[in-house]
Amino acid sequence: MSKIFLFGECMVELSSNQQDTLNQSFAGDFFNAAVYLKRAFEPIEVNLLTAIGKDKLSNAMIKLFEHEQLNTDLVFKDTKKLPGLYWIQLDNKGERSFDYWRSDAAVRQIMKWIDDKTLAELTHSDWFFFSGISLAVINPQDRALFWKMLDALKLAGVKIAFDPNYRHQLWQNEAEARAHFEQAFEYTDMLLPGVDDFKTLYAIETAEQVADFCQPYQIDELIIKNGEQGVYCVYQNQVRQINIEPVNHVVDTTSAGDSFNGVYLGARLSGKDVANSVALAAKAAAIVIQHKGAIVPKQVFTLA
Ligand code: ADP
């Protein structure tokens, strides 16, 4: 049985509905990926690495993790902190806008929880996944410790999967984001970017240009998501463009890339080849974008 850790921030989500009341749920890119990975590949042991508080919403969050059969041994509970929160609002044209309260979230201090015992737990895993969002939320002064942790994981043979998931608001400036991404690429065995992640930072417009950019790094598996234009893969020196069936009635693209990542990782960890894994991941993302919200109901998420 394979084992993976996913690291990042899960937030409290508030969304306004038409009656002008607020709906409350939970979301975060690494959590979304973990949920879909586990739903699609039940035998894989899916572990979360994050920090939350001890407040009521944190308690509800951890209950949800457990409900989704995600292992929470490394979900740390900080008595002095709360989880981050965001509010999605729709304007009268249907465009979404986001306000965030996350600058003092518990997860920003994640590195204080990584002692020798925790590190030993993390090294007993096949894979470790994180994203550019996970990286950005670590307190800047602790990021050197994060790279040291990745050194230890690599040394222990743990494979690293990374999705840059570029969000400009999370970085002080583009140079800071570029420096961190380039450091992450040095560790990455499997890179799961979208073409968009490279647009602003590197003026890159196509999947082929992303692949060229990545060539100097030792990335074994490069899976470039490009919306309905398909998926561009470079694996074992073979380049392949895999077309996908476009969805005509897209309802909400939240979590498209996350569901793709989770199911792709699960499929690869289960021994499926790249083409079959992409097909399954694209099928999962297609389901997700036809429903509202990051996490769709279990009954509509059927990949068989
Ligand atoms: P991200 O959400 O990370 O920006 P993409 O927009 O490329 O990434 O979407 C991730 C995946 O979701 C795509 O690789 C594809 O499988 C699926 N997807 C996105 N948009 C569509 C669409 N219009 N039709 C079908 N699948 C889509």
Side-chain angles (χ1 to χ4, degrees), residues 26-286:
F26 299 103
D29 66 339
F30 88 114
F31 165 68
N32 305 337
V35 166
Y36 291 115
L37 197 173
K38 185 67 183 178
R39 284 188 184 179
F41 296 95
E42 213 274 324
I44 298 178
E45 190 187 317
V46 183
N47 298 265
L48 300 180
L49 170 65
T50 191
I52 56 174
K54 283 198 158 178
D55 54 286
K56 279 196 182 137
L57 284 170
S58 292
N59 292 343
M61 195 186 283
I62 206 162
K63 276 213 178 90
L64 176 63
F65 296 163
E66 284 160 3
H67 176 76
E68 293 288 348
Q69 295 187 64
L70 306 173
N71 188 309
T72 59
D73 290 351
L74 297 189
V75 174
F76 298 101
K77 297 173 202 86
D78 196 322
T79 44
K80 295 198 179 76
K81 299 280 176 188
L82 297 168
L85 177 148
Y86 69 105
W87 181 14
I88 310 180
Q89 287 159 279
L90 279 184
D91 67 17
N92 42 24
K93 290 193 195 114
E95 296 288 330
R96 291 177 307 162
S97 68
F98 297 83
D99 288 311
Y100 292 96
W101 291 260
R102 69 197 300 192
S103 56
D104 194 32
V107 71
R108 296 188 74 86
Q109 296 187 356
I110 187 68
M111 294 316 298
K112 79 173 182 188
W113 303 98
I114 314 290
D115 56 12
D116 288 350
K117 186 168 159 271
T118 303
L119 191 58
E121 291 260 346
L122 290 168
T123 56
H124 287 113
S125 180
D126 302 299
W127 280 88
F128 180 85
F129 169 88
F130 70 109
S131 73
I133 299 177
S134 327
L135 198 49
V137 299
I138 303 170
N139 274 338
Q141 66 270 25
D142 293 345
R143 289 188 196 140
L145 290 173
F146 180 76
W147 302 124
K148 269 183 80 177
M149 180 182 91
L150 287 197
D151 284 331
L153 297 189
K154 292 276 293 185
L155 202 64
V158 179
K159 299 275 186 198
I160 308 292
F162 176 61
D163 178 351
N165 235 339
Y166 177 54
R167 299 288 184 275
H168 69 92
Q169 323 86 299
L170 293 179
W171 298 99
Q172 280 179 6
N173 51 48
E174 289 176 7
E176 189 198 29
R178 273 194 292 269
H180 284 79
F181 285 2
E182 287 161 28
Q183 180 125 29
F185 298 152
E186 300 278 354
Y187 289 92
T188 301
D189 296 291
M190 181 197 288
L191 184 63
L192 295 155
V195 174
D196 285 351
D197 292 326
F198 288 80
K199 269 190 185 148
T200 324
L201 293 180
Y202 298 103
I204 280 176
E205 299 284 338
T206 67
E208 287 85 348
Q209 289 171 333
V210 174
D212 283 347
F213 176 92
C214 291
Q215 253 197 346
Y217 299 98
Q218 307 282 308
I219 296 167
D220 289 343
E221 196 160 338
L222 174 58
I223 306 297
I224 307 166
K225 293 162 279 177
N226 199 7
E228 61 180 18
Q229 290 172 59
V231 181
Y232 189 92
C233 311
V234 186
Y235 178 60
Q236 291 181 336
N237 295 321
Q238 279 201 332
V239 176
R240 204 179 320 177
Q241 160 73 29
I242 301 180
N243 295 327
I244 60 164
E245 189 91 24
V247 166
N248 291 325
H249 299 290
V250 175
V251 174
D252 178 0
T253 57
T254 307
S255 199
D258 305 335
S259 55
F260 184 101
N261 289 348
V263 171
Y264 185 81
L265 276 162
R268 295 292 285 142
L269 266 67
S270 305
K272 295 193 187 299
D273 66 20
V274 168
N276 281 316
S277 301
V278 167
L280 215 52
K283 192 171 179 186

